[in-house]
Amino acid sequence: MKNIYFDNAATSWPKPPEMIDAMNRYNETIGGNPGRSGHHLSVEAARIIFETRELTAQLFNIDDPFQLIFTRNATEALNQVIFGMMKNDHHVITSGMEHNSVMRPLRYLEQNGLKVTVVPCFQDGSIDPREIEKSICSHTKMIIMTHASNVTGTIMPVKEVGHIAASHDIPFCVDAAQSAGSIPIDVEDMNISLLAFTGHKSLYGPQGTGGLYIKKGLENDLVPRMMGGTGSRSEFETQPDFMPDRFESGTPNAIGLAGLGASARFILNQGIDGIRSTELTLTTMFLDKARDIPGLRLYGPRKADLCTPVVSFTIDGISSSGVSQILDEKFSILSRPGLHCAPSAHRSINTLPGGTVRFSFGHFNTTDEISYATDAVTKIASGTIKGDAV
Amino acid sequence: MMSLQSYCVVLFKSVSHAMRAEKILKNDKIPFKIIPVPKSISSECGVCIRFTPEYKEDIEAVLNGTVEYSDIRELH
């Protein structure tokens, strides 16, 4: 049976053929260590990474590509920000819809004295920016918030919060793990000081790629999480203080970045508006049908234009993991059940401890797949199709 | 007296800066090549841009304000 892949918020699949070609070409014909050796394959590897840096910066309207550093994923970028910047006497504000990539580092530092305010969200995952502003105090050193929830897809009011942060001169860090490539991001217009993103979700790049944008000047307030060889200033035993080398120690994932560059070009060619419009069609179609299925409960905004192409639901009488298992075994529909590494978000939408079934659509899904899936969910909800014991 | 073999190099603090300069110089059609930093000069990053001395002013004009470089040296 053909796989119906609805787990794009975990990692997108399939990938654009251009990405695979770029990675194959890197493996077969380049393969040097970028910036280390000076021979022409090493230089070609560095050239590819530079190209990827420029293309990725273009996606987010980052003026100077050197202000964008590459990491393994959004989690590494967020850890770089939180551990690199927060001190014990600082205060940080975040939302009630965060992923554990934000909550776990914050809760860890809280034990050392960091003050953490989690601004509550409504049951659809949305937040009132005025509540964020009310939480600001003289020790507030950062506002950190997701751009879109990985559980409900709820798009957060990043521009409004960015404006608040800028007016109080507080750095604003955005977790774009779910939004980069799917909805427009403009670091200037949104007053974003730090933007953490991953390559393998809605940028359609390979796993093991991601990055962090750091507003010019702010790099001096960030202690690198890793130090080591950079291929530059090799005679010194101190870490370079300039971008991007300050935050890029060790041999990078050059083959992955070759792929990410091709994926960024794919996104730029398709246009984020074009991608968004396909995804809106799919999400709207699912929500319209799902609303009428007896025994199915939807969570989040339930309006496609208020979210990324992510929907969360439960079916009365069956656990979320049970539903996902039936979908996989009987229909080859691949979804993600449970808490999605975001207990805070599930607390906000009142789905602890059972969690939800999450469908996350992508550019390569079709309306036929949505019809097939809503039929499948209807059969499960009505009890027509049940899971096997073994 | 300038020897026939004399040439110039632009040194950069990182390979990223060298790559940015390469892209700009390619657009401006100034002849150059990328070489490993000669051992006789203390290394910044591992590669530099080599060109013939007659283009020194052109290269300075193009790079100033667009790419940060550490030094331009004339070698014999």
Side-chain angles (χ1 to χ4, degrees):
Chain A
M1 210 186 305
K2 180 180 172 268
N3 285 317
I4 311 291
Y5 190 84
F6 284 170
D7 200 16
N8 290 280
T11 196
S12 59
W13 187 84
K15 302 295 185 184
E18 299 93 308
M19 182 205 93
I20 296 161
D21 290 347
M23 292 177 80
N24 284 340
R25 181 177 159 264
Y26 186 90
N27 238 359
E28 288 164 4
T29 65
I30 306 170
N33 193 331
R36 298 303 195 267
S37 311
H39 57 71
H40 73 271
L41 290 185
S42 162
V43 171
E44 183 58 17
R47 206 172 270 137
I48 283 174
I49 293 180
F50 176 72
E51 202 66 35
T52 300
R53 207 184 296 277
E54 282 199 322
L55 288 164
T56 319
Q58 194 185 331
L59 277 172
F60 306 131
N61 191 29
I62 294 165
D63 177 44
D64 180 357
F66 291 172
Q67 293 303 121
L68 186 153
I69 59 155
F70 289 119
T71 59
R72 279 186 302 159
N73 44 43
T75 299
E76 186 176 297
L78 291 163
N79 272 261
Q80 168 60 64
V81 169
I82 295 169
F83 284 104
M85 216 164 158
M86 293 292 95
K87 298 196 169 70
N88 293 345
D89 58 346
H90 286 176
H91 172 237
V92 57
I93 300 171
T94 190
S95 88
M97 287 305 281
E98 300 305 310
H99 189 272
N100 270 345
S101 53
V102 168
M103 293 318 295
R104 284 183 173 171
L106 291 183
R107 293 302 186 202
Y108 177 82
L109 291 177
E110 201 175 24
Q111 297 169 32
N112 302 338
L114 179 74
K115 297 278 182 297
V116 180
T117 299
V118 179
V119 176
C121 292
F122 300 108
Q123 213 181 330
D124 64 358
S126 63
I127 195 167
D128 182 350
R130 287 169 300 186
E131 293 302 315
I132 292 179
E133 187 158 32
K134 278 188 210 159
S135 306
I136 294 172
C137 69
S138 58
H139 297 293
T140 308
K141 299 296 179 193
M142 194 188 299
I143 300 173
I144 182 165
M145 192 173 81
T146 188
H147 191 182
S149 160
N150 69 312
V151 174
T152 56
T154 313
I155 297 171
M156 306 301 263
V158 161
K159 189 171 173 175
E160 290 82 346
V161 177
H163 180 73
I164 292 168
S167 65
H168 290 268
D169 204 19
I170 296 167
F172 179 40
C173 176
V174 173
D175 169 7
Q178 293 295 325
S179 60
S182 182
I183 46 178
I185 296 176
D186 182 324
V187 295
E188 295 297 332
D189 181 51
M190 294 170 159
N191 281 301
I192 296 171
S193 340
L194 299 143
L195 181 80
F197 65 93
T198 194
H200 71 104
K201 298 184 196 250
S202 36
L203 288 178
Y204 294 94
Q207 295 176 2
T209 61
L212 175 67
Y213 158 72
I214 304 169
K215 188 180 177 177
K216 200 160 267 183
L218 203 56
E219 66 267 22
N220 302 320
D221 298 337
L222 264 183
V223 180
R225 278 290 278 166
M226 284 223 292
M227 300 190 190
T230 55
S232 54
R233 298 177 68 82
S234 294
E235 64 271 42
F236 297 103
E237 291 183 346
T238 50
Q239 186 72 4
D241 58 358
F242 53 83
M243 299 291 286
D245 293 27
R246 178 172 164 85
F247 299 101
E248 287 185 356
S249 292
T251 299
N253 176 11
I255 182 169
L257 293 173
L260 181 63
S263 299
R265 203 172 269 124
F266 164 80
I267 304 271
L268 289 165
N269 289 341
Q270 298 286 327
I272 288 184
D273 291 341
I275 290 172
R276 176 80 178 141
S277 122
T278 310
E279 294 177 346
L280 275 173
T281 306
L282 298 171
T283 313
T284 304
M285 185 175 166
F286 180 84
L287 289 172
D288 285 349
K289 295 197 174 193
R291 251 186 282 275
D292 298 331
I293 300 175
L296 184 143
R297 287 170 207 269
L298 284 166
Y299 300 87
R302 301 173 186 86
K303 279 192 78 195
D305 59 332
L306 299 180
C307 53
T308 50
V310 168
V311 292
S312 248
F313 62 92
T314 54
I315 289 177
D316 293 347
I318 316 177
S319 69
S320 63
S321 52
V323 174
S324 270
Q325 198 182 334
I326 301 170
L327 285 167
D328 185 359
E329 290 177 358
K330 304 281 181 181
F331 299 97
S332 272
I333 295 171
L334 312 179
S335 62
R336 181 170 174 188
L339 297 180
H340 315 97
C341 298
S344 180
H346 279 280
R347 190 173 300 115
S348 298
I349 68 167
N350 209 14
T351 46
L352 278 183
T356 56
V357 181
R358 182 184 72 184
F359 281 177
S360 46
F361 312 121
H363 187 66
F364 297 108
N365 288 127
T366 62
T367 50
D368 283 350
E369 290 177 338
I370 302 282
S371 295
Y372 174 75
T374 47
D375 287 349
V377 172
T378 306
K379 286 174 186 158
I380 297 169
S382 66
T384 318
I385 299 272
K386 290 188 166 65
D388 298 327
V390 283
Chain B
M1 178 91 183
M2 194 187 287
S3 91
L4 281 176
Q5 281 82 33
S6 79
Y7 64 97
C8 291
V9 292
V10 195
L11 300 173
F12 300 93
K13 53 187 183 181
S14 86
V15 71
S16 304
H17 292 79
M19 294 299 101
R20 179 183 271 181
E22 177 190 50
K23 189 171 177 184
I24 292 166
L25 294 176
K26 262 186 191 161
N27 283 342
D28 273 55
K29 304 206 185 329
I30 297 173
F32 70 94
K33 66 179 180 182
I34 299 241
I35 61 163
V37 174
K39 273 189 176 163
S40 56
I41 27 184
S42 80
S43 77
E44 281 282 357
C45 87
V47 293
C48 61
I49 282 178
R50 175 182 165 144
F51 61 95
T52 50
E54 74 246 42
Y55 288 103
K56 189 160 186 272
E57 281 179 13
D58 291 339
I59 287 205
E60 277 172 340
V62 172
L63 296 186
N64 281 343
T66 54
V67 188
E68 196 185 334
Y69 59 89
S70 314
D71 203 2
I72 294 185
R73 303 263 193 95
E74 195 164 330
L75 302 169
H76 305 283

